[in-house]
């Protein structure tokens, strides 16, 4: 019985030992299988990642090549010139700018017209792609085209009266010539030491204007000398006639009648009646101040002394008398050639008068 129990225990122990051994081997085999699967997955993932990288690099290379091709085909290798938004042509260079073209065209026109100019049109330069089919101009041809087509103003010199331009001349010398003519016109004949000024604020100013607005010298002289015509009402005074009224305003009788269609040359006119007349108002009021020096003589005084010891026929000059001399400096003002006023500036005594003494007998 004991032997039998021993055999049972031994058999049971052997089975347990075999089971443990089998379990350990199974676990070892399972670990190895997991490790192999992990390595296989890693190798597969690495191959997948490598293929992905190769694909991405390939796509990038293709995109880069296409970009280069497109960029080369569409690159801005020229310049389009526009005037007021309208294209006038293209040049096969990108080395020109808007400032360059404006400066060059301005200089070319200035040389052509002989004075400074100001471009009035808006010139733009945009980069464009020039292909074999694009018509292009040389830079020199483009500048010549712009010179002959763009609008510009020239620098001129204006005579401004109280800020308002009344005449525009080509240059400053011509503007000064017009004012000199006006000054001489209203300077009293034969006057010396004359100072010219203007009642208004008269200036010569530089400005850019259209060449068609520049006056010639003679036209400008006539305008500033004659003035601007305007109509006004004249009230008839005693003794006036239609002819005398017309003459007073520098008009002919026919011109006066044309302004007054309700009257004729045979019409009677009355004091207080009104007629329309035309007169020229001066644009510039010339004030000529003439400085003159006059010599004034102060008559000598005579003093009589009486001598009773002398006969009544006796008369003797005891002291010779002389007249006094005084220099008076005056300023005479003429407005547009017409005498206006006179004032004394200074008085200088040159010679004091000497009293003459005469002795007369009374016996």
């Amino acid at each position: 019985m004991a032997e039998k129990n021993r055999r049972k225990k031994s058999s049971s122990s052997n089975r347990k030992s075999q089971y443990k051994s089998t379990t350990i081997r199974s676990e070892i085999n399972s670990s190895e299988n997991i490790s192999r699967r992990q390595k296989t997955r890693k190798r597969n993932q690495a191959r997948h990642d490598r293929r992905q990288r190769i694909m991405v690099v390939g796509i990038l290379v293709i995109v880069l090549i296409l970009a280069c091709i497109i960029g080369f085909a569409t690159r801005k290798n020229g310049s389009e010139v526009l005037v007021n938004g309208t294209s006038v042509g293209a040049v096969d260079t990108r080395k020109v700018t808007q400032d360059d073209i404006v400066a060059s065209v301005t200089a070319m026109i200035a040389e052509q017209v002989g004075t400074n100019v100001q471009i009035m049109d808006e010139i733009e330069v945009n980069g464009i792609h020039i292909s074999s089919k694009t018509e292009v101009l040389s830079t020199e041809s483009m500048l010549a085209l712009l010179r002959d087509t763009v609008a510009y103003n020239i620098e001129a010199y204006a005579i401004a009266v109280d800020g308002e331009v009344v005449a525009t001349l080509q240059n400053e010398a011509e503007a000064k010539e017009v004012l000199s003519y006006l000054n001489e016109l209203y300077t009293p004949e034969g006057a010396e030491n004359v100072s010219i000024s203007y009642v208004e604020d008269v200036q010569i100013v530089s400005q850019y204007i259209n060449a068609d607005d520049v006056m010639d010298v003679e036209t400008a002289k006539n305008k500033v000398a004659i003035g601007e015509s305007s109509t006004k009402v004249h009230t008839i005074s005693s003794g006036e006639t239609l002819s005398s009224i017309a003459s007073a305003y520098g008009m002919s009788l026919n011109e006066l009648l044309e302004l007054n269609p309700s009257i004729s040359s045979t019409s009677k006119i009355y004091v207080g009646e009104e007629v329309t007349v035309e007169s020229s108002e001066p644009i510039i009021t010339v004030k000529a101040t003439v400085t003159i020096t006059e010599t004034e003589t102060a008559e000598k005084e005579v003093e009589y002394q009486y001598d009773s010891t002398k006969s009544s026929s006796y008369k003797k000059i005891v002291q010779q008398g002389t007249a006094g001399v005084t220099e008076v400096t005056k300023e005479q003002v003429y407005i547009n050639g017409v005498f206006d006023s006179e004032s004394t500036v200074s008085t200088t005594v040159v010679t004091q008068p000497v009293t003459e003494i005469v002795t007369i007998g009374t016996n």
Side-chain angles (χ1 to χ4, degrees):
M1 186 66 172
E3 183 64 28
K4 187 177 180 179
N5 289 335
R6 193 170 51 252
R7 282 197 299 271
K8 286 182 179 179
K9 290 180 180 179
S10 175
S11 176
S12 177
S13 176
N14 289 336
R15 281 197 301 273
K16 289 181 180 179
S17 177
Q18 289 176 355
Y19 175 76
K20 290 181 179 178
S21 176
T22 301
T23 300
I24 291 171
R25 284 197 301 272
S26 178
E27 289 178 355
I28 292 172
N29 291 335
S30 177
S31 297
E32 291 177 350
N33 290 335
I34 291 172
S35 178
R36 283 196 297 271
R37 284 197 297 272
Q38 288 177 341
K39 290 179 179 180
T40 300
R41 282 198 299 272
K42 288 181 179 180
R43 284 195 297 271
N44 291 338
Q45 185 63 44
R47 285 195 295 269
H48 176 74
D49 292 343
R50 189 161 53 251
R51 285 195 297 272
Q52 289 291 339
R53 286 195 296 272
I54 292 172
M55 185 180 298
V56 170
V57 171
I59 292 172
L60 290 175
V61 170
I62 292 171
V63 170
L64 182 60
I65 292 172
L66 290 174
C68 291
I69 294 172
I70 294 171
F72 181 79
T74 61
R75 74 190 189 282
K76 294 180 179 180
N77 56 350
S79 301
E80 181 184 30
V81 180
L82 301 94
V83 176
N84 297 330
T86 301
S87 176
V88 295
V91 291
D92 56 354
T93 179
R94 287 287 292 140
K95 295 182 178 180
V96 293
T97 65
Q98 177 181 342
D99 291 341
D100 292 338
I101 288 184
V102 171
S104 297
V105 174
T106 299
M108 292 169 69
I109 297 175
E111 182 178 4
Q112 182 174 276
V113 301
T115 186
N116 295 329
V117 301
Q118 181 182 59
I119 302 296
M120 303 306 295
D121 290 329
E122 182 180 1
I123 299 176
E124 299 177 81
V125 178
N126 295 330
I128 60 169
H129 172 71
I130 293 179
S131 66
S132 58
K133 297 180 181 180
T134 305
E135 293 184 4
V136 296
L137 297 173
S138 66
T139 303
E140 291 75 14
S141 297
M142 175 60 73
L143 293 175
L145 175 63
L146 293 173
R147 177 198 62 198
D148 297 334
T149 56
V150 296
Y152 61 89
N153 284 344
I154 66 169
E155 183 183 30
Y157 286 81
I159 298 174
V161 180
D162 290 335
E164 182 180 351
V165 173
V166 298
T168 305
L169 287 303
Q170 185 171 353
N171 52 56
E172 188 175 12
E174 289 186 353
K176 288 182 177 180
E177 180 182 345
V178 171
L179 291 181
S180 295
Y181 166 79
L182 190 66
N183 297 345
E184 292 174 5
L185 183 66
Y186 290 128
T187 297
E189 186 175 355
E192 299 179 356
N193 300 320
V194 181
S195 173
I196 298 293
S197 62
Y198 307 109
V199 174
E200 301 82 8
D201 177 22
V202 179
Q203 296 183 18
I204 297 176
V205 296
S206 170
Q207 62 176 6
Y208 285 92
I209 65 168
N210 190 293
D212 295 336
D213 296 329
V214 176
M215 295 181 178
D216 60 72
V217 175
E218 291 306 313
T219 300
K221 284 180 179 179
N222 290 334
K223 182 175 182 180
V224 298
I226 296 174
E228 296 180 338
S229 296
S230 61
T231 58
K232 64 180 183 179
V233 174
H234 173 80
T235 302
I236 298 174
S237 301
S238 176
E240 288 185 323
T241 65
L242 291 175
S243 295
S244 67
I245 293 171
S247 178
Y249 287 97
M251 302 171 63
S252 67
L253 179 58
N254 287 335
E255 289 173 338
L256 179 64
L257 295 176
E258 286 177 2
L259 287 176
N260 299 271
S262 62
I263 61 176
S264 67
S265 59
T266 58
S267 297
K268 290 184 177 181
I269 58 175
Y270 302 93
V271 174
E273 188 178 352
E274 294 181 341
V275 292
T276 301
V277 296
E278 186 177 56
S279 63
S280 295
E281 298 293 336
I283 297 176
I284 300 175
T285 307
V286 180
K287 179 180 178 182
T289 302
V290 181
T291 302
I292 60 172
T293 300
E294 296 178 340
T295 300
E296 295 182 355
T297 302
E299 294 296 327
K300 64 183 179 181
E301 294 183 357
V302 179
E303 179 183 333
Y304 295 97
Q305 297 178 350
Y306 299 96
D307 189 345
S308 60
T309 63
K310 305 293 184 184
S311 67
S312 58
S313 61
Y314 180 82
K315 183 178 181 180
K316 181 179 180 181
I317 298 175
V318 179
Q319 178 177 293
Q320 187 69 46
T322 57
V325 177
T326 302
E327 286 186 350
V328 181
T329 300
K330 300 178 180 180
E331 284 186 348
Q332 297 176 337
V333 177
Y334 293 80
I335 301 296
N336 285 347
V338 178
F339 178 79
D340 180 70
S341 62
E342 180 180 87
S343 61
T344 299
V345 178
S346 63
T347 301
T348 304
V349 176
V350 178
T351 304
Q352 292 285 358
V354 176
T355 301
E356 186 169 281
I357 302 175
V358 181
T359 301
I360 298 176
T362 59
N363 190 358

